[in-house]
């Protein structure tokens, strides 16, 4: 079962990953090979077994909603590829 | 006096405390060692010479004032996936080539508070995805035991730096074996602590339900010292556990009489090299001589499914975690694009390397409509089965003993074209992250001149038990004293 070109393009669109024609072909083959190796998992009996989302016993860790110092704006914007005043500058969302 | 660059933390500490050596002298010696061997080993993404000399001077002042801790003035390196305000943090990715984090990771804060000297940031498989450090977007790291071979991964730079005497100790991160497998490949000690033992605040996320930070050191005592320094609760990591932190050095030197050790047969896999099999079985007999009771017939039947569980869960979590690289707030940003969506797709196309893209694609697929139940949810259920088998085993045994990797270090390029062969390199270490339990890898012999590591797995928060077994074995053998010639 090889992933079709359309399937690869669909996943790439969901992941927001640009692809060359070569990528589409290569990922199609590689992902199919990997998924084939995982087929045995489907046969494991997991009736009545709950899923594990994370391995420790904590859940719903709460803390008081207290105002605390945060990072200075300049520090946060220091890595910005483009900025305008105290904002990250992005391209137009509506085209 | 010629300063040796093979000092352990405890040896360096003794010399610093007695003022027979200053941190400035020690740091200078290590920087010059880096200069001479780094062209061959290539363990470091960034060398922080200026910062190191500044920290060394501060440590010397502190020591003169009588304030010395086990790590004060001791030079170390940190995997370049842990945020440092004073040095760029790249994840060995083009995506973060010039990224200087606005804050230090929690463990960096702790190590600095104890007076550690930072020599540099180490190379890794891009975003910690890989088992050979060949996936670094910059250069490959060479195994100091044989420069043609890989140091393991993803913390390959950390392991190679310690083995090559470029650093006294290192910090790594471990999602499926990324501390233990390179420790095994470079003949050093590596600890993957219990999930929740060490704060991950400031660790750049790969797979959040699996990632953990830990020490990579020349011996077990050093591992205990670093674990003491980095463990503990931190409210900035909501998965961090409030369990008290013992003094991990306290158990060193205790014997193994009365200890029950299990040998799970599923870890002696097909395709395992005979020299690894022989070395680990010989090591287990040594543990028996030291007083441990060995049960050779333990079975954890779901173990063969761990690889699939890992390669569904880790990429799924990665696909969500790496969604943050959008070229807007930090990191690489493709400006040559037709609009916002095109810029986003091109930023990710040109910023990420092939293995990272592969895992994002795999994870996106496993989480996508129509496949979620068959892959992601199924993997989470099998994860429960794997955890239960560990829980049951730890009702009978204090620890489980396995090889760390089924092979000695392989040649660079040998597995680059065979993804499943590369993934199998972590087959003995991945189940541990899936269960969340702690494990340690220690030197346990050589196949020819190539290192072999033994893995000791314990129940949650049983790091003391692991260190005790590891230390007893280490003190009864000479493997950890052997150093590569470079």
């Amino acid at each position: 079962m090889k992933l079709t070109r359309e399937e690869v393009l669909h996943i790439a669109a969901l992941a927001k990953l640009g692809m060359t024609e070569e990528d589409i072909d290569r990922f199609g083959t590689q992902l199919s090979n990997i998924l084939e190796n995982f087929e045995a998992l489907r046969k494991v009996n997991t009736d009545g077994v709950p899923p594990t989302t994370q391995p420790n016993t904590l859940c719903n860790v709460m803390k008081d909603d207290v105002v605390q110092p945060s990072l200075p704006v300049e520090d946060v914007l220091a890595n910005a590829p483009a900025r305008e005043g105290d904002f990250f500058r992005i391209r137009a969302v509506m085209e | 006096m010629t300063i040796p660059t093979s000092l352990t933390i405890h040896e360096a500490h003794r010399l610093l405390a007695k003022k027979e050596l200053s941190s400035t002298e020690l740091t200078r010696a290590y920087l010059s060692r880096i200069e001479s061997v780094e062209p061959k080993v290539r363990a470091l993404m960034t060398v922080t010479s200026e910062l190191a000399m500044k920290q060394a001077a501060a440590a010397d002042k502190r020591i003169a004032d009588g304030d010395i801790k086990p790590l004060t003035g001791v030079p170390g390196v940190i995997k370049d996936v842990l945020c440092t305000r004073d040095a760029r943090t790249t994840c060995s990715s083009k995506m973060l080539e010039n990224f200087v984090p606005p804050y230090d990771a929690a463990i960096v804060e702790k190590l600095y508070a104890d007076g550690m000297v930072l020599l540099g940031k180490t190379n890794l498989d891009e975003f910690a995805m890989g088992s050979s450090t060949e996936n670094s977007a910059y250069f490959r790291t060479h195994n100091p035991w044989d420069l043609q071979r890989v140091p393991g991964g993803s913390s390959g730079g950390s392991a190679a730096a310690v083995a090559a005497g470029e650093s006294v100790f290192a910090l790594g991160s471990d999602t499926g074996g990324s501390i233990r497998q390179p420790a095994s490949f470079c003949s050093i000690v590596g600890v993957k602590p219990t999930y929740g033992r060490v704060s991950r605040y400031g660790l750049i996320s790969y797979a959040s339900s699996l990632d953990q930070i830990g020490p990579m050191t020349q011996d077990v005592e050093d591992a205990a010292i670093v674990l003491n320094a980095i463990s503990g609760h931190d409210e900035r990591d909501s998965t961090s556990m409030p369990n008290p932190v013992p003094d991990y050095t306290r158990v060193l030197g205790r014997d193994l009489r009365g200890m029950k050790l299990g040998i799970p047969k599923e870890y002696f896999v097909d395709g395992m090299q005979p020299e690894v099999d022989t070395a680990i079985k010989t090591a287990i007999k040594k543990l028996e001589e030291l007083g441990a009771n060995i049960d050779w017939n333990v079975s954890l039947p779901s173990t063969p499914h761990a690889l699939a569980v890992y390669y569904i869960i880790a990429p799924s979590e990665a696909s969500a975690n790496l969604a943050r690289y959008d070229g807007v707030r930090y990191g690489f940003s493709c400006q040559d694009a037709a609009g916002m969506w095109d810029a986003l797709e091109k930023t990710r196309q040109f910023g990420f390397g092939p293995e990272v893209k592969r895992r994002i694609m795999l994870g996106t697929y496993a989480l996508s409509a129509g496949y979620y139940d068959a892959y992601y949810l199924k993997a989470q259920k099998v994860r429960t089965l794997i955890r239960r088998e560990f829980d049951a085993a730890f009702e009978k045994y204090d620890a489980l003993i396995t090889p760390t990797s089924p092979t000695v270090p392989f040649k660079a390029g040998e597995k680059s074209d065979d993804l499943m062969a590369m993934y199998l390199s972590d087959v003995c270490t991945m189940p541990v992250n899936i269960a969340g339990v702690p494990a340690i890898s220690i030197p346990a012999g050589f196949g020819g001149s190539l290192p072999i590591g033994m893995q000791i797995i314990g129940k949650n928060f049983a790091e003391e038990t692991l260190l005790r077994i590891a230390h007893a074995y280490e003190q009864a053998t000479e493997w950890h004293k052997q150093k590569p010639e470079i």
Side-chain angles (χ1 to χ4, degrees), chain B residues 170-282:
Chain B
L171 270 294
S173 66
D174 189 315
T175 305
S178 283
I179 288 175
R180 291 159 288 155
Q181 184 256 20
S184 169
F185 277 18
C186 293
S187 201
I188 64 166
V189 175
V191 182
K192 198 291 279 184
T194 307
Y195 186 78
R197 173 77 297 182
V198 177
S199 168
R200 289 132 9 123
Y201 178 76
L203 168 70
I204 296 179
S205 301
Y206 160 23
S208 304
S209 80
L210 302 162
D211 296 339
Q212 191 59 207
I213 301 163
M216 302 177 78
T217 59
Q218 297 171 73
D219 69 10
V220 176
E221 184 174 346
D222 279 8
I225 291 169
V226 177
L227 207 52
N228 276 349
I230 63 174
S231 297
H233 182 250
D234 176 9
E235 70 169 20
R236 296 169 300 180
D237 173 0
S238 59
T239 63
S240 155
M241 295 285 277
N243 302 43
V245 181
D247 174 0
Y248 289 110
T249 61
R250 205 179 49 192
V251 292
L252 306 180
R254 292 199 193 153
D255 69 32
L256 301 185
R257 267 172 298 177
M259 277 237 167
K260 288 193 221 111
L261 306 179
I263 318 302
K265 60 179 185 212
E266 289 82 4
Y267 285 73
F268 294 80
V269 294
D270 290 345
M272 188 168 156
Q273 288 174 339
E275 55 265 48
V276 175
D277 187 77
T278 306
I280 299 306
K281 286 179 177 157
T282 307

Side-chain angles (χ1 to χ4, degrees), chain B residues 101-169:
Chain B
Y103 59 88
D104 284 326
I107 65 120
V108 173
E109 285 176 352
K110 282 179 175 242
L111 292 166
Y112 283 180
D114 280 2
M116 168 204 178
V117 172
L118 183 70
L119 293 168
K121 304 289 296 288
T122 59
N123 195 25
L124 61 143
D125 286 299
E126 184 176 0
F127 283 102
M129 298 179 189
S131 311
S132 67
T133 316
E134 291 169 291
N135 293 338
S136 166
Y138 298 90
F139 48 84
R140 79 175 183 89
T141 295
H142 302 253
N143 191 316
W145 291 92
D146 177 347
L147 298 172
Q148 303 304 313
R149 291 176 189 264
V150 303
S154 66
S155 311
S158 286
V162 172
E166 295 183 76
S167 178
V168 181
F169 70 102

